[in-house]
């Protein structure tokens, strides 16, 4: 039986051997949710980029550019990190270079550490993601982007949702995974409510922005698309 593990912070990732494993990158508020929306809108590919300056360069190379730091859109970029910005039909067929505080960083770490496959997960593509994980038959690592290397509630909740849905197919010998399932099962019927208690939701409130994003990112199965890293690009 294949295994499923949960990593609550990118800082813990070096403790895990990723060779031959599939990593699901999770940043519910909001990078992994927003990436799922971009592909549902019809974006061609997304290039995850580490830094703001590097991302800006792609403006000259047939890319739209999107950047967020500390939940705020970076000035001079085409988009920030709100899923609503990525619902714009004019994005269909476009390439997007994208950098965020935690999500794109976690993704690049998983790649640098030699993961065999990297997929993007969010409540928005929960069923489609679980179906692929069932079919691919690889050991799975659910990587929570967290907040600046610290634990966060919404990513852990989603890791628990995936692990709970797959519990018949994967062995769970990992306490982090068991804890995530317990968390999810307690709150499965009120996701929006528990996510609103998170520190990132509180951050949105303090900044007076994006409070609709929480309800949006708590929706299940908005899309059947499962973005996957191929080379340097996310595609479907
Ligand atoms: C991130 O990658 O840090 C997040 O998606 C932050 C956000 O924009 O809410």
């Amino acid at each position: 039986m294949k295994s499923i593990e949960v990593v609550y912070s990118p800082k813990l990732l070096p403790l895990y051997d990723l060779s031959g494993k599939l990593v699901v990158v999770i940043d519910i508020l909001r990078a992994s949710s927003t990436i799922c929306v971009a592909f549902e809108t019809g974006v061609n590919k997304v290039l995850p980029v580490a830094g703001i300056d590097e991302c800006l360069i792609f403006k000259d190379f047939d890319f739209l550019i999107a950047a967020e730091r500390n939940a705020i859109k970076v000035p001079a970029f085409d988009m920030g990190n709100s899923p609503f910005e990525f619902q714009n039909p004019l994005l269909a067929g476009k390439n997007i270079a994208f950098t965020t505080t935690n999500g794109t960083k976690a993704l690049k770490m998983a790649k640098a550490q030699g993961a065999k496959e990297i997929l993007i997960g969010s409540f928005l593509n929960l069923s489609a993601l679980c179906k692929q994980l069932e079919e691919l038959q690889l050991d799975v690592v659910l990587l929570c982007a967290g907040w600046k290397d610290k634990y966060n509630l919404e990513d852990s909740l989603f890791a628990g949702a995936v692990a709970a849905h797959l519990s018949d197919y994967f062995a769970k010998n990992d306490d982090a995974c068991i804890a995530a399932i317990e968390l999810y099962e307690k709150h499965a019927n009120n996701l929006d409510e528990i996510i609103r208690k998170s520190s990132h939701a509180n951050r949105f409130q303090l900044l007076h922005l994006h409070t609709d994003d929480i309800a949006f990112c708590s929706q299940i199965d908005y899309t059947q698309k499962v973005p996957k890293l191929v080379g340097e690009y996310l595609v479907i």
Side-chain angles (χ1 to χ4, degrees):
M1 217 179 196
K2 295 293 175 190
S3 67
I4 187 157
E5 294 170 295
V6 174
V7 180
Y8 286 118
S9 154
K11 200 76 173 177
L12 295 170
L13 195 61
L15 301 177
Y16 293 78
D17 176 9
L18 300 186
S19 49
K21 294 188 181 169
L22 184 155
V23 174
V24 178
V25 176
I26 302 167
D27 185 359
I28 299 303
L29 296 177
R30 294 161 293 170
S32 66
S33 301
T34 293
I35 290 167
C36 290
V37 173
F39 283 103
E40 180 61 27
T41 302
V43 155
N44 181 41
K45 60 187 177 186
V46 173
L47 177 65
V49 176
I52 302 272
D53 291 343
E54 188 191 346
C55 199
L56 264 175
I57 293 169
F58 287 92
K59 181 91 181 155
D60 299 332
F61 296 94
D62 195 25
F63 280 81
L64 292 170
I65 52 172
E68 160 278 337
R69 283 298 179 270
N70 300 313
I72 296 170
K73 173 181 180 287
V74 180
F77 279 73
D78 299 308
M79 281 98 61
N81 189 18
S82 171
F84 292 106
E85 293 173 278
F86 290 75
Q87 284 186 313
N88 181 348
L90 295 176
L91 297 184
K94 304 282 191 206
N95 303 321
I96 299 176
F98 192 29
T99 181
T100 71
T101 312
N102 306 287
T104 51
K105 178 184 142 194
L107 197 154
K108 293 193 90 64
M109 281 181 74
K111 177 174 163 58
Q113 221 176 288
K116 182 178 166 70
E117 300 271 0
I118 299 179
L119 302 180
I120 299 296
S122 69
F123 287 110
L124 303 178
N125 71 349
L126 175 63
S127 296
L129 172 73
C130 289
K131 187 162 178 284
Q132 283 207 13
L133 295 179
E134 240 178 89
E135 288 167 2
L136 286 168
Q137 280 298 307
L138 292 168
D139 290 325
V140 169
V141 173
L142 303 173
L143 172 59
C144 301
W147 180 256
K148 299 190 177 175
D149 291 332
K150 292 184 178 166
Y151 175 96
N152 89 19
L153 190 58
E154 64 279 9
D155 295 349
S156 313
L157 194 64
F158 178 73
V162 174
H165 280 78
L166 295 175
S167 57
D168 290 346
Y169 307 96
F170 288 83
K172 300 172 298 295
N173 300 317
D174 173 42
D175 283 354
C177 182
I178 295 165
I181 293 174
E182 294 286 329
L183 177 72
Y184 169 71
E185 287 184 341
K186 187 156 187 272
H187 299 285
N189 295 327
N190 54 359
L191 292 176
D192 180 89
E193 193 184 321
I194 180 76
I195 293 175
R196 278 182 197 280
K197 291 184 179 164
S198 69
S199 55
H200 203 47
N202 188 40
R203 191 170 292 114
F204 285 167
Q205 283 218 319
L206 292 174
L207 293 168
H208 301 291
L209 35 90
H210 310 311
T211 42
D212 290 352
D213 289 8
I214 296 163
F216 189 94
C217 295
S218 307
Q219 297 174 91
I220 293 184
D221 294 346
Y222 165 88
T223 178
Q224 295 301 307
K225 310 271 192 306
V226 183
K228 167 183 176 165
L229 194 70
V230 176
E232 298 299 322
Y233 295 103
L234 288 166
V235 293
I236 47 162

